[in-house]
């Protein structure tokens, strides 16, 4: 197994910064803001609650998650017994794949892809089948359909999408559900960014009539709880029970203080602070305005999450080498598209403070003007 490319690039940027080099780190997938004070203060009052919990989570948290999900998705089948609380969303994905995928089974993943999806598929013995998105990063239902065969067991969908920030269209999702229903294929819907959306008319994947769906979510992105490691899965009770059994041997329960933090967040319906959304929208516009002024760069304005996926093919022959040279010469750290099975692109995370963003974008502009086609 290889280390997450995003984390590796983030670590390299931090190492260069520690050596004294000025670094503009635009790699991270976590909010610059701290965990909200109301969460920290509430958890601080409950630090005496620090023993083992049931593997699937404390009952009151599972009930809160179920109630919140029923209202958010408009689904009436979700009960506490369908919820498994996990130590971050990655164990939720891993446990779901362990339940659903046997060695040699195939899992379809649209590309560009968040690398942990394919690595986790391989870790359970499955075979990732990478299917390109359309040119504007929507689902290509025909391309997906062409890859379906008797070995296909799962398709992973992530909307808003990492690394592109795209929101998959309702039309494509409905078309895909018509293809999948009746096949026994399960959709794992990675919904970690669904509370960070800027465009109106956002269609949630689990609301598109898929017969078999597992919902993955957590509080890392919506509440700046990345280091707390708290997530969950929502699935058919049989899947949830099997996942609980597996996790009892892998992680045990999610940390008790983190479960308390999630409970507090759900007391406000897991809504990101209004200030967080305002800052992200302002910074999205800042990046958009700056990139428009750089010749030969192409990109889509992200509808959710906090990434721009920049098409470098007009200025770079090799995106990995281009990103490395950008880092060495200017201190600006981006994640090359190779990390997402999309050479020719680079991911820019716009969660840094605005001062850093402004300086980094100016460094990119100067670098492109100076270097031309590399």
């Amino acid at each position: 197994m290889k280390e997450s490319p995003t984390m590796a690039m983030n670590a390299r940027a931090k190492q260069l910064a520690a050596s004294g080099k000025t670094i503009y780190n635009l790699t991270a997938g976590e909010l610059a803001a701290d965990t909200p004070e109301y969460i920290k203060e509430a958890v601080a009052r409950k630090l005496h609650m620090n023993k083992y919990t049931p593997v699937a989570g404390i009952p009151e948290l599972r009930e809160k998650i179920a109630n919140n999900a029923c209202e958010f998705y408009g689904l009436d089948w979700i009960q506490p017994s369908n919820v498994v609380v996990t130590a971050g969303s990655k164990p939720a994905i891993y446990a779901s794949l362990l339940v659903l995928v046997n060695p040699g089974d195939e899992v379809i993943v649209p590309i560009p892809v968040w690398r942990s999806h394919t690595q986790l598929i391989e870790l359970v013995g499955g075979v990732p089948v990478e299917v390109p998105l359309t040119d504007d990063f929507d689902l290509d239902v025909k391309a997906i359909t062409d890859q379906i065969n008797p070995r296909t067991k799962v398709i992973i969908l992530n909307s808003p999408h990492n690394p592109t920030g795209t929101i998959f269209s309702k039309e494509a999702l409905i078309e895909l559900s018509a293809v999948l229903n009746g096949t026994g294929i399960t959709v794992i819907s990675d919904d970690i960014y669904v509370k960070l959306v800027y465009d109106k008319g956002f269609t949630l994947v689990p609301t598109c009539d898929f017969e078999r769906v597992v919902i993955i979510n957590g509080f890392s992105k919506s509440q700046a709880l990345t280091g707390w490691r708290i997530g969950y899965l929502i699935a058919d009770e049989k899947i949830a029970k099997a996942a609980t059994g597996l996790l009892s041997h892998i992680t045990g329960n999610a940390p008790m203080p983190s479960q308390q933090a999630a409970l507090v967040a759900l007391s406000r319906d897991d809504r990101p602070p209004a200030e967080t959304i305002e800052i992200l929208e302002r910074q999205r516009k800042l990046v958009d305005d700056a990139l428009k002024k750089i010749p030969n760069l192409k990109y889509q304005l992200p509808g959710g999450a906090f990434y721009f996926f920049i098409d470098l093919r007009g200025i770079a022959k090799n995106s990995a080498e281009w990103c490395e040279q950008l880092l060495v010469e200017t201190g600006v750290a981006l994640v090359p598209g190779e990390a997402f099975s999309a050479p020719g692109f680079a991911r820019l995370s716009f969660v840094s403070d605005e001062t850093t963003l402004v300086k980094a974008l100016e460094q990119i502009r100067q670098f492109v003007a100076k270097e031309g086609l590399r």
Side-chain angles (χ1 to χ4, degrees):
M1 304 302 293
K2 296 179 180 178
E3 182 183 4
S4 161
T6 305
M7 290 187 172
M9 193 65 170
N10 187 32
R12 174 154 160 67
K14 289 180 177 179
Q15 184 181 33
L16 287 171
S19 71
K21 184 176 178 61
T22 299
I23 296 296
Y24 308 98
N25 190 349
L26 306 184
T27 68
E30 63 178 345
L31 296 171
D34 196 7
T35 300
E37 287 298 322
Y38 80 92
I39 292 179
K40 292 191 290 184
E41 290 171 1
V43 173
R45 293 193 293 269
K46 297 185 177 182
L47 292 179
H48 62 284
M49 303 174 71
N50 49 40
K51 301 298 184 183
Y52 287 135
T53 80
V55 173
I58 55 177
E60 55 266 45
L61 178 55
R62 296 174 74 194
E63 183 175 5
K64 278 275 192 182
I65 290 172
N67 292 342
N68 177 266
C70 280
E71 182 176 350
F72 184 70
Y73 292 105
L75 301 174
D76 59 8
W77 61 267
I78 302 174
Q79 302 295 320
S81 58
N82 301 114
V83 176
V84 181
V85 180
T86 56
S89 62
K90 286 181 181 179
I93 300 170
Y94 180 47
S96 300
L97 288 168
L98 277 169
V99 172
L100 295 166
V101 178
N102 288 321
D105 286 345
E106 294 183 358
V107 179
I108 292 175
V109 287
I111 58 172
V113 62
W114 180 52
R115 183 52 60 201
S116 288
H117 284 156
T118 54
Q119 293 282 271
L120 288 170
I121 293 165
E122 292 175 349
L123 192 60
V124 305
V127 179
V129 178
E130 297 185 343
V131 179
L133 295 171
T134 64
D135 289 342
D136 58 355
F137 299 130
D138 199 1
L139 292 173
D140 188 332
V141 178
K142 183 181 184 307
I144 292 171
T145 303
D146 289 345
Q147 294 297 327
I148 292 175
N149 64 70
R151 294 186 301 278
T152 308
K153 295 298 186 293
V154 171
I155 178 170
I156 300 180
L157 300 180
N158 171 217
S159 178
H161 182 245
N162 178 11
T164 69
T166 301
I167 292 172
F168 296 151
S169 70
K170 181 177 182 179
E171 294 76 16
L173 288 166
I174 293 296
E175 184 182 353
L176 182 61
S177 70
V179 170
L180 296 183
N181 290 347
T183 65
I185 296 171
T186 300
V187 170
I188 293 180
S189 182
D190 184 348
D191 283 9
I192 195 67
Y193 295 103
V194 293
K195 301 293 176 72
L196 300 175
V197 174
Y198 318 110
D199 292 352
K200 295 181 180 178
F202 171 45
T203 298
L204 295 154
V205 172
T207 66
C208 292
D209 299 323
F210 291 103
E211 284 179 351
R212 298 170 61 89
V213 64
V214 174
I215 300 170
I216 306 292
N217 212 328
F219 302 88
S220 292
K221 313 300 183 182
S222 62
Q223 303 296 327
L225 284 170
T226 46
W228 297 66
R229 310 313 302 140
I230 185 72
Y232 57 88
L233 67 87
I234 300 173
D236 173 87
E237 193 168 333
K238 186 176 180 181
I239 294 173
K241 185 175 180 180
T244 301
L246 287 165
L247 290 168
S248 72
H249 301 292
I250 300 170
T251 59
N253 61 269
M256 181 55 153
S258 303
Q259 294 192 55
Q260 293 298 327
L263 260 179
V264 178
L266 285 165
S267 71
R268 302 192 184 188
D269 295 325
D270 186 26
R271 291 190 304 272
E275 182 184 10
T276 296
I277 299 298
E278 290 170 5
I279 290 172
L280 289 175
E281 287 183 329
R282 187 167 65 246
Q283 295 183 177
R284 182 181 73 143
K285 184 178 186 306
L286 188 157
V287 176
D288 182 32
D289 290 344
L291 292 180
K292 283 176 181 175
K293 298 173 183 176
I294 303 177
N296 300 317
L297 286 187
K298 297 179 181 179
Y299 61 93
Q300 303 260 1
L301 185 66
F306 34 67
Y307 308 112
F308 278 75
F309 204 54
I310 305 168
D311 187 344
L312 301 174
R313 290 174 294 182
I315 62 169
K317 296 178 182 178
N318 184 299
S319 50
E321 292 178 2
W322 188 91
C323 287
E324 174 66 20
Q325 200 62 33
L326 178 71
L327 177 60
V328 170
E329 292 190 17
T330 72
V332 176
L334 306 179
V335 183
E338 283 81 355
F340 310 103
S341 292
F345 292 79
R347 192 189 75 175
L348 181 156
S349 174
F350 59 89
V351 291
S352 297
D353 63 275
E354 291 186 26
T355 300
T356 298
L357 270 178
V358 169
K359 291 180 179 178
L361 289 162
E362 176 57 20
Q363 291 292 333
I364 294 172
R365 187 194 67 77
Q366 292 181 19
F367 181 76
V368 171
K370 172 187 169 187
E371 298 295 333
L373 179 65
R374 293 186 61 89

